[in-house]
Amino acid sequence: MGRKTYKNRWKKNLLTFFSIFLILLSACGNGPPEAEVQSGSAGKIEELEVHFIDVGQGDATLVKCGGQSMLIDAGENDKGTLVQNYIRKQGVKKLDYLIVTHPDSDHCGGADVIITKYDVDTVIMPNYSKDTASYRDVVQALDYKHYQVTEPKVGDIYRLGDAKFTIIAPNKDDYGNEANNYSVGILLEHGGKKFVFTGDAEEEAERDIINNGIDLSADVLKAGHHGSRTASMGDFVSAVCPEYAVISCGEDNEYGHPHAATLNTFRSMGIKVFRTDEQGSLIACSDGSEITWNAPPSDTWKAGEPGLSGSNATVKQGSKGVTYILNTKTKKFHKPSCDSLPTENRDDSAQSREEVIAQGYTPCGRCNP
Ligand SMILES: [Zn+2]
Ligand SMILES: [Zn+2]
């Protein structure tokens, strides 16, 4: 850890020094031709591409600028190869950065494939682990490649071609067991254009981002937590005040993402919405003063239906009489329609409320079963 951090800091210092050197040169008005070659033709910056890859229910975003690239999350366990193929088709040979926002499987699941198949310069992950197979696979892949993890420090700035990004979250070391709130958040800047990414950060983490004092105003907001009502709080969206919001979620997902409340927030603020569940992968291109998209915004404003594919899945499993969903680890039980059903340690029960409680389960505070 120490060595890698030192190396990064050294790199950053060198970059800062180099930028000052360039600024000084251009201030003189007649820099040598080499300097012009280095900084590209006068006034123009390398184009930035942001690919919101359709990975169904989950997140994976590829950011490319100049010759450099970054991947933010890699979708579920079974989406690693899809993400690998996508970024290969985009001509990515190595990754300068891989951000695994948090250890939930719909974000870290495919990361083991990416780490194994690609050379990655800097891996940024929050200091929060989860005892799940998905997360253990990521740690194993990191060990296999002898990679060390760079911890996100709010305010740290990294270069990506002619773009840069600033770490804006997590702002606390301890959010209890709320994995989503440990999400790494970044503000990506390219010329005059800005993007905000917050992983699955929910209300508490969003409030902490606002309170850290960084100017959050941006053109594009990647909606937190797949458009869930537990994220994209009014205050947060106001602070970002984006022209566009992008929602990454799966068609007919069992959580009912995006939730109507989130869509209403965006709609009432006149924000145009893009959705991977309806539109597939979405690509934003920035030249530093304008952003263009590969598709027009969605105009359906259609909220997901909670438990839709969940109930389909239940029927498929042939267990029609499901009464409650149990989390065998936390010993909480949920209504099948709850929007925070367990993805791991899940047991679909057909028992009565009394029977479930008799086994030591307590009701979920969110759905009050
Ligand atoms: Zn998620
Ligand atoms: Zn999550």
Side-chain angles (χ1 to χ4, degrees):
M1 169 77 71
R3 213 173 43 205
K4 183 81 183 173
T5 309
Y6 173 76
K7 201 177 130 205
N8 285 335
R9 211 168 280 154
W10 183 82
K11 261 198 224 164
K12 245 189 284 171
N13 286 341
L14 189 68
L15 273 171
T16 313
F17 175 77
F18 190 61
S19 334
I20 291 169
F21 181 62
L22 279 177
I23 290 162
L24 283 175
L25 273 180
S26 54
C28 300
N30 51 358
E34 296 95 275
E36 260 170 45
V37 172
Q38 292 267 8
S39 60
S41 52
K44 269 213 162 177
I45 57 174
E46 297 162 321
E47 193 169 87
L48 172 88
E49 286 177 21
V50 182
H51 298 245
F52 302 90
I53 307 170
D54 176 14
V55 288
Q57 185 64 16
D59 273 8
T61 309
L62 172 69
V63 184
K64 280 173 64 186
C65 191
Q68 297 207 295
S69 42
M70 158 162 79
L71 184 68
I72 309 171
D73 290 330
E76 269 291 354
N77 279 303
D78 58 351
K79 293 294 190 294
T81 309
L82 181 150
V83 174
Q84 183 202 341
N85 288 336
Y86 189 101
I87 68 176
R88 183 172 44 78
K89 280 190 190 131
Q90 294 306 316
V92 173
K93 302 247 166 13
K94 66 170 273 248
L95 289 167
D96 296 276
Y97 305 95
L98 170 66
I99 299 180
V100 180
T101 59
H102 67 296
D104 280 347
S105 63
D106 56 323
H107 299 253
C108 81
D112 53 340
V113 174
I114 301 300
I115 293 163
T116 311
K117 303 280 181 181
Y118 280 88
D119 282 342
V120 187
D121 253 12
T122 305
V123 180
I124 301 175
M125 280 168 54
N127 185 18
Y128 176 72
S129 59
K130 238 182 154 180
D131 188 21
T132 58
S134 314
Y135 188 70
R136 277 195 299 272
D137 287 349
V138 175
V139 173
Q140 252 175 34
L142 289 169
D143 283 351
Y144 167 73
K145 294 287 281 271
H146 303 290
Y147 286 166
Q148 277 163 335
V149 170
T150 300
E151 246 185 74
K153 294 244 162 34
V154 170
D156 274 3
I157 297 172
Y158 297 87
R159 285 265 154 208
L160 183 81
D162 280 342
K164 65 173 182 180
F165 64 93
T166 307
I167 305 286
I168 59 168
N171 288 280
K172 278 190 204 141
D173 299 328
D174 190 3
Y175 283 103
N177 287 328
E178 301 292 331
N180 288 341
N181 285 338
Y182 293 89
S183 290
V184 179
I186 64 162
L187 172 73
L188 173 68
E189 290 175 70
H190 180 248
K193 292 292 150 186
K194 299 190 215 172
F195 298 70
V196 166
F197 299 83
T198 58
D200 277 354
E202 299 186 78
E203 185 171 5
E204 186 185 353
E206 285 185 344
R207 206 182 315 122
D208 293 338
I209 296 172
I210 296 176
N211 291 339
N212 76 14
I214 290 177
D215 176 12
L216 292 172
S217 63
D219 303 276
V220 180
L221 170 66
K222 181 169 165 302
H225 199 196
H226 321 286
S228 166
R229 68 173 82 87
T230 58
S232 303
M233 295 297 144
D235 286 353
F236 185 76
V237 180
S238 298
V240 179
C241 196
E243 185 176 356
Y244 307 104
V246 181
I247 298 171
S248 179
C249 66
E251 204 182 346
D252 296 339
N253 65 81
E254 61 188 291
Y255 311 99
H257 295 154
H259 290 152
T262 303
L263 292 175
N264 287 339
T265 302
F266 292 152
R267 196 172 196 175
S268 67
M269 293 188 195
I271 298 164
K272 300 176 192 97
V273 168
F274 293 94
R275 303 168 55 154
T276 61
D277 61 336
E278 293 180 346
Q279 304 176 282
S281 296
L282 290 153
I283 307 164
C285 290
S286 161
D287 63 4
S289 55
E290 216 183 319
I291 295 173
T292 49
W293 297 83
N294 66 329
S298 160
D299 56 5
T300 66
W301 301 105
K302 191 177 170 292
E305 288 173 52
L308 186 66
S309 78
S311 55
N312 286 346
T314 304
V315 172
K316 261 182 239 149
Q317 285 162 16
S319 47
K320 278 178 201 154
V322 172
T323 47
Y324 298 108
I325 310 298
L326 314 181
N327 185 326
T328 54
K329 189 154 182 225
T330 62
K331 289 276 172 184
K332 285 266 186 307
F333 71 100
H334 308 257
K335 284 180 190 167
S337 60
C338 179
D339 67 0
S340 65
L341 292 177
T343 46
E344 318 247 353
N345 308 304
R346 171 176 167 153
D347 187 11
D348 294 8
S349 167
Q351 293 171 307
S352 71
R353 193 171 186 278
E354 289 68 31
E355 284 170 322
V356 170
I357 289 172
Q359 289 165 51
Y361 285 90
T362 55
C364 159
R366 214 183 285 251
C367 62
N368 289 314

